[in-house]
Amino acid sequence: LTNNSHTELTRLTGFSGSACEALVDSKGKIYLFVDPRYHITAKNLEREGLKAILLDMGEGYLDGLKKIADENAKILIPSTISHLKFLKYKEHFKNLAITDVEPEQSTKNPEIYSVSSDISKTKIKIELIKSKYDGSLLLTSLDEIAYALDFRAFEFDYMSSFSSRLVLGEENILFCDYKIPENYDFIKILPLSEFENFIASLEDKIYYDEENITEKTFSLIKNPVKDEKKLLQNMMAIKSSDEIEHLKFAFSKLDEAIFGF
């Protein structure tokens, strides 16, 4: 179980933090992997049939899995695992199998709104991004999609993004199940349920981010090309003066919360 199956993980373990993974063995015993932020929480959840695996600073979930599983053990990996992580697991474990998981159904119906004061600037940004690629660009990071389109929503706790996939190519297609703001005539909307069939039908190059694309989505692409440019990540790293002031304000509120100012 990974963070992508967080609802099921929480139901099985009682863990509700933001970062953990779990392994359920053939006898039903659960191993809960947590980093140093959650050592105390995880230890308090231990019971018969549930053991906390406390990772040291710098250790990843793969390091924890190596401690309890033989390299020849058959391990079922949720299809929502990232392609990059799957490749790393595959280097050590010889008998991996991908298994589908039921997509989580959101109980919220978020309003998507634009944070752009000039939609034409958003269109220019999209065209600039597309001009750097000689094929379609697939965006699966929800943060990057929100940034590219200047959209925000609150489908998830503590996040200003929403369930979606974005393909920038001959058409700019946003796969999501929510209504977007008006005047975005350069964006076509399709239901999220149509994404897999669409991506599997494309014949041209599809640039992808191996850290964010799921193994299942990667397996559907006929002509995948790893995005070495990471253009969106670099663009997001450059902050405007308004963003810098907002960050300073956010950090000041964090200081107040921690130190009780």
Side-chain angles (χ1 to χ4, degrees), residues 16 56 83 89 103-104 108 111 133-134 136 164 184 198 231:
S16 59
D56 292 329
H83 176 60
Y89 277 53
E104 294 179 22
K108 299 180 181 180
E111 176 186 0
Y133 297 90
D134 60 347
S136 296
S164 57
Y184 275 80
F198 176 85
L231 181 61

Side-chain angles (χ1 to χ4, degrees), residues 103-117:
E104 294 179 22
Q105 300 297 320
S106 174
T107 58
K108 299 180 181 180
N109 186 24
E111 176 186 0
I112 296 177
Y113 60 94
S114 173
V115 294
S116 175
S117 58

Side-chain angles (χ1 to χ4, degrees), residues 29-203:
K29 184 174 181 178
I30 301 170
Y31 297 87
L32 182 65
F33 305 99
V34 294
D35 63 43
R37 295 173 296 170
Y38 297 110
H39 281 186
I40 295 175
T41 299
K43 288 296 290 184
N44 288 337
L45 289 172
E46 282 193 323
R47 59 182 186 271
E48 184 177 353
L50 191 156
K51 179 176 177 56
I53 306 298
L54 309 180
L55 303 176
D56 292 329
M57 191 69 69
E59 284 190 313
Y61 300 123
L62 177 57
D63 298 303
L65 193 56
K66 288 178 181 179
K67 296 177 182 179
I68 64 170
D70 181 85
E71 65 179 15
N72 294 312
K74 183 176 181 179
I75 300 178
L76 298 178
I77 301 288
S79 58
T80 50
I81 190 174
S82 76
H83 176 60
L84 179 60
K85 185 180 289 186
F86 177 76
L87 292 178
K88 290 181 177 179
Y89 277 53
K90 196 173 181 179
E91 288 177 2
H92 181 79
F93 294 103
K94 314 302 181 185
N95 196 8
L96 292 182
I98 292 293
T99 181
D100 280 330
V101 294
E102 289 294 325
E104 294 179 22
Q105 300 297 320
S106 174
T107 58
K108 299 180 181 180
N109 186 24
E111 176 186 0
I112 296 177
Y113 60 94
S114 173
V115 294
S116 175
S117 58
D118 186 349
I119 296 177
S120 64
K121 292 182 178 179
T122 303
K123 184 175 182 179
I124 291 171
K125 177 168 58 174
I126 293 295
E127 293 304 315
L128 173 63
I129 294 169
K130 289 169 56 174
S131 71
K132 304 299 182 181
Y133 297 90
D134 60 347
S136 296
L137 175 63
L138 169 62
L139 297 181
T140 52
S141 164
L142 303 189
D143 288 344
E144 290 182 2
I145 294 171
Y147 170 82
L149 298 176
D150 294 319
F151 285 165
R152 300 294 185 271
F154 293 95
E155 178 179 345
F156 311 103
D157 293 336
Y158 318 118
M159 295 175 61
S160 58
S161 54
F162 52 98
S163 298
S164 57
R165 299 290 185 268
L166 178 62
V167 177
L168 301 179
E170 292 186 11
E171 289 185 296
N172 305 318
I173 305 178
L174 177 65
F175 294 86
C176 78
D177 297 324
Y178 307 113
K179 183 179 179 180
I180 69 170
E182 296 180 355
N183 302 323
Y184 275 80
D185 55 355
F186 54 96
I187 301 295
K188 181 178 180 179
I189 302 297
L190 290 176
L192 192 54
S193 60
E194 296 184 16
F195 168 72
E196 290 185 357
N197 286 337
F198 176 85
I199 208 70
S201 70
L202 291 183
E203 300 288 346

